[in-house]
Amino acid sequence: MRLSRRQFVELLAGAGVSTLASSWLVDRVFALDAEGALPVAPGPGIESWAPTTCGLCPGGCGLEFRRIDGLPVGVRGFAPHPVNRGRLCTLPHAALQMLFSPDRVRRPLKRTGRRGQGSWEEIGWDDAEAMLLDRLRKLIRADSRTQLAFLDGRPPGLGRHVAAGFMRGVGSPHHVDAACACADRVGRRMFGWDRAPGADLENSRVILLFGFDHLETDGSPVWQNRVYAEGRGDLAGRPTYVSIGPRLLGSAAKSEHWLPARPGTEGIVAVAIAHVILEHRWQDQRFLEDHTDWAESGGAGEAGLHRLLTVITPSVAAEIAGVPAARIEETAGLFVEHQPGIALAGAGTSAAPTGALTFMAVNLLNVLVGAVGRRGTLVELPLLPLGTVWEPTADAGRDTAPNAITTIPQLTEALLENEPTPIDLLVVRGANPVYDTAMSRAMRRGLASYDRMIVVFAEQMTETALLADLVLPDATFLERWDMLTGTPLVPPGYALLQQPVIPPLFSVRPSEEVLARLCNSLGELSRVRFAETGGEQIAERASRGLFADRRGRLQGVPSPEAAAPAEGPEGFWRGYRASTVWAFDGIPASSRPRTQRIAMAPGRLLGLPEEPTPNALRELFSPRPLGVTERYPYQLSVFRLMHFRDGATTNLPMMMEQAGHWASIMWATWAEMHPRTAAEAHVGNGDLVRIASELGHIEVLARVSEATPPGIVAVPVGFGHTSGSTAAGVGANVNLILPSPLGDPLWELAGRVTRVNIVRA
Amino acid sequence: MTRWGMVIDLDRCTGCAACASACALENNVPAVSREEAERGRSMNWLTMVHEVEGEFPDVHVRTYPRLCQHCEKPPCTYVCPVHATYVSANGIVAQIYPQCIGCRYCMAACPYTVKTFNWFEQTWSDDLRRVVNPDVSLRPKGVVEKCTFCSHRLQRAEEAARARDERLKESDYQPACVEACPAHAMFFGDFDDPDSTVSQAVVSRRAEYLLKELGTEPKVVYLRVRAPHAD
């Protein structure tokens, strides 16, 4: 029931003072409405602040929500938090718009019409869970456990761990990471570490950013903004930032140097820098001999590293990347001279077909100069010691199997080709692959089949949820429990508590609770049993692992109560809830490579053919954009905005209003291009232009600027949704004109390199 | 006397625009519709400005947040026919919404183009309307609005300091944009207090004012980038 203010006043006047005290009226005043939404009338106006961890990017910032009578009305950075120290980026300011969005999925929805038609029947949770359980039981009884796939958009942490338990319980290895895991994979293969390499940026003197957008979208932007800003002291003492990539606007604008490399060519620039380092014998020979397989990495059959470094000279790289050879040589000198330093590859590179190679090449630079395991260089971060929340009841297998589907291209191939296995049941959470990857079109085709069941946990209706058989309303990060590991870019490694600042609205249930309950409801069919199925109980059990681990402690504790967690796990839990941060005591000494040797041979890493020719090595790092030059003379560069990231926050009105500040364009997609490019295409600033690749076209506004290299057209992702009351129909989705390479697990979300032409619309 | 003002270090500012979002949330500044945005009726009190200078490849970007400069001699107050805007005793240029008749003379007079007009009733969904910042009133159609240096925070801070029987400290009162800035590039305080952060910062040789030649005497001071970009 909802009451208007007028009805409320009338109610008070009519009821009189004596009635005011009655429980009936008190219930009316303070109760939640039938949907479990907001209180129906103002309360006594009591202010409180609730700390939690932001869930809008993997950065791991601490937030504090201001609540009036339990309703969140504002947010600020959580001052004691070591990651953001009370500061914020733009995203959390729109968190309340996300929580109260008119597009929230409020109850479980069952498809009644054709796929994608948008016809739904609201059903209860019991019916929804029964549908899912039926399908799971059928799979298990038919010995088809591996026909379940789970596409997971949650960042690493407890929520992901719960889903892993669910998958182990059912018995499928196909737990797919919706984010690109290039850094994790290459880092793991090269360094043998459990996580992607961490970076001690605070103590670095030179930072090479290969498509790494440190101030807007990669890593932990708030942390990196502070590190950058605190380094802006005297000119003599400041760290040197070098951005390598096609776009100046954004992070590169604040770097000391910008090497305007063509899209997808950052990797070959890194190899050429390595060539210069070796040519001048600037490498850390002792480190190479002690800690790497450098000596044997030139052998035949492994795409010999030494051969690669001989072939890719600065002039070869200059031809492919469009960066003058002299700038490459100068950058090599800077990197060596100003050590300690770090070279980082970011999402801007991982999305190119050369992505995995770029990560390998950039890490190779770090290894060559011995920038590993020292102050101001790459460091190893340990895995979080989470307490046990689920346990195997039978042979639960392993997390990974030889043919496990772990990336979106692999999943798309499985959906389209039934290889390596048919998928009978697909569960999606926190991801929108039909919209936000270069696999967009292929994924839509893959989800068209009626033979399989598609279940989507969604906070808001998305393009992917529209194709589901069952949509389950998931909790936003303001309504759920989680423990996040944060990004490895913020050492020494954290367990960041996410806790509800408001109970779940409507009929929303956190997906962790649903998955744990489903797993237990399978009874003996499940190979895993959860000790608890409530969100808070799961988180509390997980926190016992932190309590027992002596390598870290609670951080930034704001109250004496939280500072004395020595009274056992319960006291620790109370302290953790007040602090929200547990951290390792420092970068572990073990980050120096120990027994394992850093694997440097690209052939071994990437499975290349034996005896590669110089041309093959050269081709290896060439992004080969789709389309012929004569017809499509320009290269498309795709970039992300802090306000939208991959498009998950586009539907928030505040973000839509402010996202275009770099171009001074609101509520529309733009294409940045050089005046010469614009003149060739007979386009003026602000004109509506059609940008076409071999796969289709989009219409966007031209933003003509000297900040974009000639021959390149830069377009942001995040616009062109077909779902969402704010986002639908605004601008164009650039993913639709990008190629969709299938199958190669190392290319991840590859494909963001294509040629285009431009004509006035 | 107290003279509140702001210093923005452009050497630190990264142009992320978190300040603009913090301002919008704190002050209940609504997002307008697509149609209204296309007609130039967006309501931002603080805008991040980027100016590209030079020619490729010798090009760099000048970035700065633009907000009400809280001038000592504000052109907007001179032209207001109903005294709906004035310089308050603490230096903040105030805007009295119920007094405003919507003539927009002040908007025309402001050389920094930082005032916005409510062309229509602000629209909020039912749920969002109930969770707006209760410290800041929603403005009606037909009035001009602008940055107030989050003066509602000053009111709260002054009350709290009085209750503690203490003097107001600099850290007690910080506008939302300053509080949020991830690059710690914005500083706020009392220019009349020689020990304040802003007073210390403003003597820098890097200090400059927007359109200084107009003689408006802004209380928002920008510190220039320390060196031209190498590229």
Side-chain angles (χ1 to χ4, degrees):
Chain A
M1 174 188 174
R2 286 171 186 271
L3 285 181
S4 68
R5 189 177 181 84
R6 177 180 294 275
Q7 286 169 324
F8 177 64
V9 172
E10 287 170 359
L11 187 63
L12 283 183
V17 175
S18 60
T19 318
L20 187 63
S22 78
S23 62
W24 180 84
L25 186 56
V26 171
D27 285 349
R28 281 288 181 277
V29 172
F30 292 104
L32 299 184
D33 72 10
E35 290 183 328
L38 302 182
V40 294
I46 296 170
E47 182 186 61
S48 61
W49 291 84
T52 189
T53 302
C54 186
L56 294 170
C57 97
C61 291
L63 308 181
E64 209 176 10
F65 281 88
R66 182 186 182 199
R67 300 184 299 190
I68 303 291
D69 295 334
L71 280 182
V73 297
V75 65
R76 67 184 179 194
F78 189 31
H81 202 283
V83 174
N84 58 317
R85 307 184 188 187
R87 304 305 175 115
L88 296 177
C89 78
T90 187
L91 285 168
H93 297 103
L96 298 182
Q97 294 185 346
M98 178 189 69
L99 180 68
F100 297 115
S101 167
D103 300 310
R104 286 291 300 270
V105 180
R106 298 180 171 219
R107 288 168 213 83
L109 300 173
K110 180 182 167 190
R111 179 175 61 81
T112 57
R114 285 180 293 107
R115 270 206 201 290
Q117 186 184 336
S119 300
W120 306 101
E121 176 193 350
E122 289 185 350
I123 59 175
W125 270 104
D126 289 347
D127 291 340
E129 290 186 3
M131 274 178 72
L132 199 41
L133 274 172
D134 277 354
R135 196 74 169 209
L136 288 169
R137 287 190 182 113
K138 274 181 196 157
L139 277 182
I140 294 169
R141 287 181 178 136
D143 201 17
S144 303
R145 291 172 182 262
T146 59
Q147 293 188 19
L148 164 69
F150 193 116
L151 175 59
D152 204 346
R154 283 286 167 81
L158 179 59
R160 180 91 69 86
H161 180 63
V162 168
F166 168 78
M167 293 300 284
R168 289 272 287 277
V170 178
S172 169
H174 307 312
H175 191 185
V176 183
D177 188 347
C180 172
C182 255
D184 289 87
R185 284 156 193 277
V186 175
R188 203 173 293 146
R189 289 195 191 191
M190 280 187 82
F191 298 100
W193 290 345
D194 292 326
R195 297 179 62 188
D200 184 15
L201 283 175
E202 278 185 304
N203 295 301
S204 280
R205 306 309 303 157
V206 55
I207 297 129
L208 306 189
L209 305 162
F210 291 87
F212 189 92
D213 187 8
H214 72 128
L215 299 176
E216 295 240 344
T217 56
D218 277 311
S220 181
V222 175
W223 166 271
Q224 288 143 203
N225 264 269
R226 184 188 57 77
V227 171
Y228 170 83
E230 287 185 350
R232 301 288 94 183
D234 292 337
L235 286 172
R238 60 174 52 180
T240 303
Y241 285 81
V242 183
S243 284
I244 300 102
R247 185 169 179 260
L248 176 64
L249 297 176
S251 292
K254 300 299 288 186
S255 291
E256 275 71 25
H257 304 275
W258 171 44
L259 273 55
R262 294 185 184 118
T265 64
E266 294 89 346
I268 200 165
V269 175
V271 177
I273 291 172
H275 173 97
V276 177
I277 290 172
L278 288 170
E279 192 179 48
H280 293 279
R281 299 182 185 280
W282 288 336
Q283 72 271 26
D284 186 336
Q285 193 64 34
R286 183 159 180 192
F287 180 86
L288 290 175
E289 286 168 9
D290 288 352
H291 298 293
T292 75
D293 63 1
W294 171 252
E296 58 262 41
S297 60
E302 291 180 352
L305 178 62
H306 299 189
R307 198 178 314 163
L308 175 74
L309 292 168
T310 309
V311 170
I312 308 297
T313 62
S315 55
V316 169
E319 191 188 319
I320 293 170
V323 176
R327 302 292 310 278
I328 294 172
E329 289 173 9
E330 176 191 305
T331 304
L334 272 174
F335 190 54
V336 172
E337 185 187 344
H338 294 292
Q339 283 292 315
I342 298 179
L344 293 170
T349 57
S350 63
T354 48
L357 280 162
T358 301
F359 272 85
M360 188 278 295
V362 169
N363 278 315
L364 170 68
L365 275 183
N366 291 313
V367 175
L368 273 186
V369 298
V372 182
R374 288 188 287 121
R375 183 180 165 85
T377 66
L378 292 186
V379 289
E380 180 187 11
L381 300 187
L383 287 176
L384 280 188
L386 293 182
T388 307
V389 298
W390 52 262
E391 283 186 295
T393 56
D395 174 19
R398 293 177 306 166
D399 270 335
T400 53
N403 59 354
I405 298 168
T406 56
T407 68
I408 287 184
Q410 287 176 314
L411 175 64
T412 312
E413 187 160 29
L415 293 170
L416 285 169
E417 312 287 345
N418 292 332
E419 290 292 338
T421 174
I423 300 298
D424 182 72
L425 171 58
L426 173 67
V427 180
V428 179
R429 172 175 72 165
N432 189 10
V434 169
Y435 166 81
D436 64 17
T437 70
M439 313 301 296
S440 175
R441 283 169 296 110
M443 181 63 84
R444 184 179 288 276
R445 284 201 310 279
L447 296 183
S449 164
Y450 286 92
D451 295 337
R452 67 174 62 94
M453 182 178 184
I454 301 164
V455 179
V456 177
F457 287 97
E459 299 165 17
Q460 298 188 18
M461 190 52 79
T462 63
E463 287 83 353
T464 304
L466 271 169
L467 296 174
D469 297 285
L470 188 59
V471 182
L472 302 176
D474 202 357
T476 64
F477 79 89
L478 291 91
E479 303 161 292
R480 67 175 180 241
W481 295 89
D482 204 339
M483 282 163 61
L484 307 176
T485 61
T487 162
L489 273 300
V490 188
Y494 297 97
L496 305 163
L497 182 68
Q498 221 165 47
Q499 56 188 339
V501 299
I502 186 171
L505 299 177
F506 320 117
S507 295
V508 164
R509 286 187 185 173
S511 53
E512 290 78 9
E513 297 182 10
V514 177
L515 292 171
R517 200 167 41 250
L518 282 171
C519 204
N520 285 0
S521 300
L522 286 171
E524 297 200 342
L525 293 178
S526 172
R527 295 168 172 177
V528 152
R529 180 149 193 90
F530 281 82
E532 301 282 355
T533 56
E536 180 172 3
Q537 291 74 24
I538 292 173
E540 194 273 335
R541 283 187 76 88
S543 78
R544 292 181 197 176
L546 306 178
F547 173 72
D549 197 298
R550 299 296 166 205
R551 293 175 297 166
R553 67 191 70 203
L554 295 180
Q555 299 278 307
V557 178
S559 70
E561 181 202 24
E567 49 194 285
E570 294 79 17
F572 176 85
W573 176 241
R574 279 199 301 279
Y576 192 28
R577 288 202 57 186
S579 141
T580 72
V581 184
W582 181 93
F584 288 104
D585 284 335
I587 297 167
S590 63
S591 66
R592 190 83 186 177
R594 293 155 293 167
T595 51
Q596 82 274 13
R597 307 188 77 193
I598 297 172
M600 297 183 71
R604 191 178 296 166
L605 288 170
L606 302 171
L608 296 175
E610 293 191 2
E611 302 286 344
T613 61
N615 262 351
L617 289 170
R618 200 182 142 113
E619 285 294 304
L620 192 63
F621 282 92
S622 302
R624 297 182 298 279
L626 180 73
V628 292
T629 313
E630 295 72 27
R631 192 155 172 216
Y632 300 100
Y634 308 109
Q635 285 203 31
L636 180 65
S637 167
V638 178
F639 62 93
R640 299 192 299 167
L641 302 164
M642 176 187 272
H643 295 70
F644 289 170
R645 297 186 62 79
D646 290 322
T649 52
T650 311
N651 198 40
L652 307 178
M654 184 192 289
M655 295 298 98
M656 178 63 86
E657 186 94 352
Q658 299 184 356
H661 67 92
W662 283 106
S664 300
I665 289 177
M666 292 172 180
W667 294 77
T669 314
W670 67 92
E672 296 165 6
M673 61 187 79
H674 189 267
R676 204 183 310 156
T677 308
E680 286 167 6
H682 308 291
V683 165
N685 192 33
D687 285 351
L688 187 66
V689 296
R690 175 175 295 192
I691 299 194
S693 76
E694 279 194 354
L695 299 165
H697 70 268
I698 54 174
E699 290 191 353
V700 300
L701 297 176
R703 174 55 77 221
V704 180
S705 147
E706 293 282 347
T708 310
I712 288 173
V713 183
V715 179
V717 293
F719 289 100
H721 279 273
T722 54
S723 179
S725 54
T726 296
V730 178
N733 183 3
V734 71
N735 291 312
L736 296 175
I737 62 170
L738 297 171
S740 306
L742 293 174
D744 189 332
L746 279 164
W747 287 11
E748 299 282 341
L749 309 180
R752 294 190 169 182
V753 180
T754 184
R755 290 192 163 278
V756 292
N757 65 25
I758 310 168
V759 291
R760 209 163 166 174
Chain B
M1 290 292 286
T2 307
R3 210 160 48 95
W4 296 109
M6 187 180 290
V7 173
I8 303 173
D9 188 345
L10 300 182
D11 206 27
R12 284 171 160 254
C13 174
T14 59
C16 71
C19 48
S21 306
C23 170
L25 179 69
E26 176 73 15
N27 293 292
N28 299 327
V29 179
V32 302
S33 67
R34 177 184 185 174
E35 292 72 28
E36 298 295 346
E38 283 171 356
R39 297 166 78 181
R41 293 176 175 179
S42 291
M43 302 287 294
N44 296 314
W45 288 9
L46 187 159
T47 309
M48 188 57 72
V49 180
H50 308 280
E51 292 168 355
V52 177
E53 296 171 344
E55 289 185 8
F56 180 86
D58 300 316
V59 58
H60 71 271
V61 183
R62 187 165 177 258
T63 288
Y64 62 96
R66 187 178 60 202
L67 64 162
C68 175
Q69 302 291 299
H70 292 274
C71 311
E72 284 290 287
K73 296 175 182 170
C76 58
T77 59
Y78 287 92
V79 298
C80 178
V82 292
H83 302 294
T85 180
Y86 66 97
V87 186
S88 60
N90 58 22
I92 295 175
V93 176
Q95 189 83 20
I96 315 300
Y97 305 125
Q99 194 90 335
C100 178
I101 58 172
C103 67
R104 291 175 283 139
Y105 287 5
C106 59
M107 290 177 69
C110 174
Y112 307 105
T113 62
V114 290
K115 293 194 149 193
T116 59
F117 184 64
N118 285 275
W119 288 95
F120 41 83
E121 290 293 342
Q122 296 183 5
T123 53
W124 306 81
S125 71
D126 286 349
D127 283 343
L128 276 178
R129 193 173 182 98
R130 279 187 280 178
V131 295
V132 296
N133 183 354
D135 299 341
V136 179
S137 60
L138 301 180
R139 284 73 65 185
K141 177 182 175 182
V143 305
V144 173
E145 61 182 64
K146 68 162 193 74
C147 162
T148 64
F149 273 163
C150 292
S151 57
H152 55 281
R153 290 188 170 205
L154 173 60
Q155 200 174 338
R156 280 172 68 106
E158 283 178 335
E159 285 168 8
R162 264 199 301 274
R164 294 194 307 266
D165 199 20
E166 290 174 359
R167 277 196 63 192
L168 190 68
K169 296 193 298 292
E170 188 173 292
S171 58
D172 291 340
Y173 167 40
Q174 298 285 294
C177 54
V178 177
E179 187 178 80
C181 178
H184 301 237
M186 304 172 92
F187 306 93
F188 188 78
D190 178 7
F191 278 127
D192 279 350
D193 174 359
D195 297 326
S196 70
T197 312
V198 291
S199 292
Q200 307 275 324
V202 80
V203 296
S204 164
R205 282 182 300 175
R206 295 192 290 131
E208 63 178 21
Y209 301 82
L210 286 186
L211 302 176
K212 186 180 180 183
E213 63 277 15
L214 298 181
T216 56
E217 298 179 22
K219 285 195 289 295
V220 176
V221 183
Y222 296 87
L223 302 183
R224 281 192 307 274
V225 174
R226 277 197 172 82
H229 282 239
D231 302 305

